[in-house]
Amino acid sequence: MTATASSASTETFSRADWLRGYESQTEERDYWIDDIEGEIPAELEGTVFRNGPGLLEIGGQSLHHPFDGDGMISAIAIRQGRAYFRNRYVRTEGFLAEQKAGKILYRGVFGTQKPGGWLANIFDLGLKNIANTNILYWGDRLLALWEAAEPHRLDPQTLETFGLDRLDGLLADGDPFSAHPRIDPGSERTGGQRRLVNFAVKTGPSSRIRLYEFDESGRCVEQQERVIPGFAFLHDFALTPNYAIFFQNPIRFNPLPALLGQRTAGQCLASDRNKSTQILVIPRDPKAPLQTFETESCFVFHHANAFETADGAIVVDSVCYDEFPMLEPDRNFKEVDFDSYPRGELFRFTLHPGQPRAERKLLESRTCEFPTQHPRTVGQDARYYYIGAAAAPTGNAPLQSLLKIDLETGDRKLWTVAPRGFIGEPLFVPRPGGIAEDDGWVLSLIYDAARHSSALVILSAQTLEPLARLNLKQHIPYGLHGCFTPQ
Ligand code: 3ON
Ligand code: FE
């Protein structure tokens, strides 16, 4: 492997640059951000919270995959044109134990094994709750989420970890709680009130999907459970005023190699390319029946949005991969071959009542991930999406651009930090009092290999012009998800 070549056709980045964004960040810091290019818009006030793997090796042993890395939270509080940065690890039981021991003590889901070969891993099916996927602020609680176990609650000011949060007894010991809640902006069924909706899956030969709805104060006001046939790896869902929509990817799960210590759970998944993907439409009304649609075999982590049409159809926009992106068991993530690795493209699925097969249409063929939108348009026929995208229109590559998609006109706007920059999940922040759907800002944490540090960029959502760039004093390894709160 050379240090400079990337996808053969499109050399938008150097591999050495890309890899440095995956160096562990072992320091926890607090400071005023004093290196600001441009100007923070005066009306933009609040806190950006980000979560993602902060440690990519432990005791000198590289993790097999970043999704196995301990959750590190970054917070950037913006007030009156100034910004304060803080980062802290979530003090999970596993993080504390491994830091003390100075070595890996737990198996990860995505290929990280305890040192010592299969004998050291055999029959260990325990999960390390690494709290690394998302961070949510709702009902005065700041929660770090990891889909296979309970949330951890943190102090929103200091980011100190309080411990596991079982949501006032809603969750039992070890219960899952997805890292992809959605916020219903309010509709008839919620009495116009905002609601946080989230799910949890317990999977096996059949799977149980639990759906929770929380009011503004964080109280659970509705919950239901549905049992569906087959194994289900559900990372995200889409929400409309009346439905929760899941894509059941065609995945086989053979746990034997995990049991025998040879592979971890996530490495026992295999895409079944001959089987269709099932689209599960769960009514938020627990008494109404579940409907299932199908579409050609694909794998979905993230949905952009969904909405109901006047003629009773449901439209879902999702980032689809041809199959579950999986590394070969002996190949560390640092050696990934982008050209042969599945890449995400944005598709629109229309589910017509009485038709078992979904209509499928490609919306965006450029490699993309991490879609977002104006919070007011969740569950509605949104006009604009903002999404991380590759710098080149074809081929697979890391995200180096931000793409704004106008679903009404088909217009695209692209802002890129290539060749030395890499981009994270965008967040859309509405301008207070704004009316237009794109009246606001797009915020994203980027990694700049030229400085080996990260920066928060603030773009005009209307034009994608950069308004401010807040340069941090250190790098934040490529992250997963986060949120913005006006507090
Ligand atoms: O054994 C079963 C299967 C399984 C995989 C059950 C299970 C619950 C133990 C399980 C666990 C799933 C987990 C823990 C999933 C965690 C996912 C995660 C941390 C992240 C997923 C990220 C997805 C994407 C698309 C990230 C993209 C990143 C970039 C484009 C660049 O940074
Ligand atoms: Fe996700």
Side-chain angles (χ1 to χ4, degrees):
M1 203 140 339
T2 69
T4 49
S6 63
S7 318
S9 52
T10 55
E11 286 177 17
T12 62
F13 70 104
S14 93
R15 198 161 175 112
D17 278 355
W18 172 70
L19 279 173
R20 286 201 80 192
Y22 274 127
E23 277 178 20
S24 293
Q25 181 49 265
T26 53
E27 272 189 77
E28 296 181 317
R29 300 175 69 173
D30 317 58
Y31 53 84
W32 286 102
I33 302 173
D34 53 21
D35 182 1
I36 298 178
E37 298 168 45
E39 220 170 293
I40 300 174
E43 292 165 291
L44 174 61
E45 294 216 325
T47 308
V48 179
F49 290 106
R50 305 287 323 157
N51 196 354
L55 289 182
L56 288 306
E57 75 269 302
I58 294 173
Q61 186 190 336
S62 175
L63 303 187
H64 192 77
H65 198 287
F67 298 170
D68 283 340
D70 288 300
M72 185 185 86
I73 311 300
S74 306
I76 297 171
I78 302 173
R79 297 268 177 280
Q80 298 173 338
R82 301 183 70 203
Y84 194 81
F85 173 86
R86 174 174 280 134
N87 73 312
R88 291 291 183 277
Y89 277 90
V90 186
R91 263 53 184 184
T92 66
E93 194 186 312
F95 172 83
L96 292 169
E98 287 182 334
Q99 289 308 302
K100 196 164 161 201
K103 62 175 187 194
I104 294 182
L105 302 174
Y106 298 78
R107 304 178 81 185
V109 169
F110 292 97
T112 306
Q113 298 272 24
K114 290 184 278 186
W118 63 271
L119 256 177
N121 291 279
I122 191 166
F123 303 139
D124 178 2
L125 295 183
L127 288 174
K128 177 187 174 197
N129 180 349
I130 50 180
N132 73 352
T133 315
N134 202 349
I135 175 113
L136 160 75
Y137 189 78
W138 186 262
D140 278 337
R141 277 182 230 214
L142 184 68
L143 301 174
L145 304 176
W146 185 68
E147 68 195 59
E150 308 100 309
H152 282 80
R153 185 169 180 182
L154 312 180
D155 183 315
Q157 250 68 51
T158 63
L159 300 183
E160 177 200 342
T161 305
F162 293 142
L164 291 176
D165 192 326
R166 301 219 166 86
L167 308 177
D168 307 318
L170 203 59
L171 306 180
D173 190 0
D175 265 0
F177 190 69
S178 144
H180 276 284
R182 298 250 165 192
I183 297 174
D184 179 345
S187 65
E188 221 170 276
R189 15 180 356 267
T190 71
Q193 299 294 305
R194 289 201 321 155
R195 271 203 194 163
L196 182 91
V197 182
N198 200 13
F199 70 97
V201 211
K202 285 187 181 165
T203 190
S206 72
S207 302
R208 281 185 293 156
I209 307 175
R210 199 166 259 280
L211 202 65
Y212 301 100
E213 304 207 6
F214 302 86
D215 68 11
E216 291 262 14
S217 72
R219 199 167 58 92
C220 180
V221 288
E222 273 190 79
Q223 62 168 305
Q224 58 162 304
E225 190 175 272
R226 309 266 180 164
V227 180
I228 56 152
F231 178 82
F233 175 17
L234 309 174
H235 177 71
D236 189 11
F237 78 124
L239 183 71
T240 72
N242 294 298
Y243 303 100
I245 301 141
F246 296 86
F247 276 43
Q248 189 182 10
N249 301 303
I251 289 275
R252 274 173 288 128
F253 180 63
N254 167 17
L256 197 63
L259 197 66
L260 298 180
Q262 295 151 340
R263 293 185 179 203
T264 67
Q267 294 174 306
C268 297
L269 305 173
S271 283
D272 208 335
R273 298 289 299 267
N274 301 318
K275 267 174 68 184
S276 53
T277 291
Q278 304 293 305
I279 304 174
L280 313 170
V281 178
I282 298 183
R284 290 168 68 180
D285 172 359
K287 294 186 292 294
L290 176 149
Q291 297 174 69
T292 307
F293 298 82
E294 61 166 15
T295 186
E296 51 253 58
S297 186
C298 67
F299 188 92
V300 172
F301 282 106
H302 299 130
H303 302 283
N305 186 36
F307 61 94
E308 301 163 26
T309 70
D311 57 359
I314 298 170
V315 177
V316 196
D317 294 339
S318 315
V319 178
C320 300
Y321 296 76
D322 279 348
E323 60 183 323
F324 176 59
M326 200 171 99
L327 293 164
E328 288 138 51
D330 299 324
R331 200 184 267 221
N332 179 282
F333 74 95
K334 293 175 184 162
E335 299 154 352
V336 68
D337 170 22
F338 284 97
D339 292 333
S340 62
Y341 208 60
R343 60 190 199 88
E345 293 172 302
L346 188 65
F347 281 89
R348 169 157 288 191
F349 299 87
T350 308
L351 317 176
H352 298 282
Q355 286 182 26
R357 199 150 179 101
E359 183 190 322
R360 183 177 117 138
K361 179 180 145 199
L362 182 64
L363 289 181
E364 180 54 61
S365 63
R366 183 186 290 262
T367 296
C368 57
E369 249 308 347
F370 300 142
T372 192
Q373 67 194 98
H374 193 304
R376 184 181 79 204
T377 63
V378 171
Q380 304 299 320
D381 186 0
R383 176 165 175 186
Y384 301 112
Y385 289 153
Y386 311 89
I387 190 167
T394 59
N396 196 9
L399 308 176
Q400 296 186 282
S401 304
L402 238 150
L403 183 66
K404 178 185 182 186
I405 301 179
D406 184 336
L407 294 154
E408 203 173 289
T409 63
D411 186 40
R412 299 286 192 272
K413 283 189 170 57
L414 189 85
W415 181 74
T416 185
V417 290
R420 303 209 71 187
F422 299 86
I423 215 151
E425 176 192 58
L427 291 173
F428 176 87
V429 180
R431 192 174 64 80
I435 292 170
E437 196 186 307
D438 58 355
D439 191 353
W441 305 282
V442 181
L443 276 49
S444 183
L445 198 58
I446 63 168
Y447 168 69
D448 180 5
R451 301 167 58 247
H452 185 49
S453 63
S454 297
L456 183 76
V457 291
I458 302 170
L459 311 176
S460 149
Q462 242 137 28
T463 61
L464 286 198
E465 271 167 316
L467 303 174
R469 176 178 160 134
L470 287 55
N471 291 314
L472 304 184
K473 298 184 196 297
Q474 80 279 54
H475 83 286
I476 308 298
Y478 303 120
L480 292 164
H481 305 288
C483 65
F484 177 87
T485 157
Q487 278 93 336

